[in-house]
């Protein structure tokens, strides 16, 4: 059996075309959606992420403001910039690229972003909204994973979903979104003694660990749907995920590739959150 690939590039293109239409409609009403992206320091990976986000905005007609600061920017100065962007009516979303330099408290920075502009969905309020089933901004990566699952036509009701990883940005919100979609959810982490015991029972597996080959084919039930969030490098420096793609695709019903699966969806859902924020006015 060879699994069907869940193509994150194709789905992103489709969703971005819809986003562009919604952005054009808002712009025609004089309410062009706007995203502010703040980068502090010179982290090379962060620079690439930020550049990609700004470019993606341009591609769909979202106005973007990119603010770059030296690594020695004070926490107070950053909070002041966020306050100014909170008050700026042309900005509907504010994203501060993580990680921040050590002297800046990331929690303080995230909480300084106005709730109505928290398009990353990282604030305590957004987490609480997700937890209690209220409308709000969903963290972009798990939100994108839900769209990928939805694209396969899988009804999650009654399915057993296993999430590997419990970070605040991926694993935990992922589990809550799956729960909201009526899956029965198990969360595994580094202290889970026998990972395979759980994954072998799963109809849906989401791996968000950051370690190659965490999930191997013998740990997957035939016909399971596998979403690979991981971003790692193999021994040749090639980008790879957390799952043994080559062997698992012979067992699973659907699987996301790395690259080309979850990665493109994360930025797409950031654009989606920004549009939703602008539409709320
Ligand atoms: P993280 O904060 O480091 O969390 C990793 C999680 O994996 C932790 O909960 C950890 O458990 C768990 N874990 C570690 N070793 C394990 C093991 N052997 N068995 C089971 N669980 C284990 O990472 P993250 O931010 O969630 O990201 C996870 C991966 O996704 C990374 O590769 C990251 O680069 C990637 N990512 C990709 C995108 C994208 O757009 N494609 C976006 C975000 C993240 P403990 O809690 O017990 O330590």
């Amino acid at each position: 059996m060879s699994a069907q690939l869940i193509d994150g590039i194709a789905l992103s293109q489709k969703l971005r075309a819809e986003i562009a239409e919604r952005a054009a409609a808002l712009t025609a009403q004089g309410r062009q959606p706007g995203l502010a992206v703040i980068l502090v320091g010179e982290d090379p990976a962060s620079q690439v992420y930020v550049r990609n986000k700004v470019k993606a905005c341009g591609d769909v007609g979202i106005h973007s403001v990119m603010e770059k600061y030296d690594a020695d920017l004070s926490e107070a100065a950053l909070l002041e910039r966020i306050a100014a962007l909170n008050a700026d009516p042309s900005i509907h979303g504010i994203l501060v690229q993580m990680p921040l330099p050590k002297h800046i408290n990331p929690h303080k920075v995230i909480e300084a972003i106005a709730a109505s502009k928290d398009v990353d969905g990282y604030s305590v309020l957004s987490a609480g909204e997700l937890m209690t089933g209220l409308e709000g901004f969903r963290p972009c990566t798990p939100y994108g994973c839900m769209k990928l699952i939805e694209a396969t036509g899988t009804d999650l009701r009654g399915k057993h979903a296993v999430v590997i990883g419990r970070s605040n940005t991926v694993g935990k919100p992922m589990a809550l979104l799956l729960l909201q979609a009526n899956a029965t959810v198990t969360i595994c982490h580094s202290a889970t003694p026998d990972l395979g015991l759980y994954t072998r029972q799963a109809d849906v597996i989401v791996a968000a660990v950051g370690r190659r080959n965490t999930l191997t084919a013998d740990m997957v039930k035939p016909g399971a749907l596998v979403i690979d969030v991981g971003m790692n490098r193999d021994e040749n420096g090639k980008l790879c995920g957390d799952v043994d793609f080559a062997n698992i695709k012979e067992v699973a019903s659907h699987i996301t590739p790395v690259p080309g699966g979850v990665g493109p969806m994360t930025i797409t859902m950031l654009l989606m959150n920004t549009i939703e924020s602008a539409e709320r006015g």
Side-chain angles (χ1 to χ4, degrees), residues 141 164-167 169-170 189-190 195 208-211 229-232 262-263 266:
T141 300
I164 318 173
R166 57 172 166 182
S167 67
T169 49
V170 189
H189 44 78
S190 67
L195 189 57
V209 175
R211 203 189 63 161
V229 183
M231 283 200 309
N232 312 296
V262 175
T266 294

Side-chain angles (χ1 to χ4, degrees), residues 200-211:
R200 272 190 288 275
Q201 298 173 37
D203 303 301
V204 174
I205 303 172
V206 181
V209 175
R211 203 189 63 161

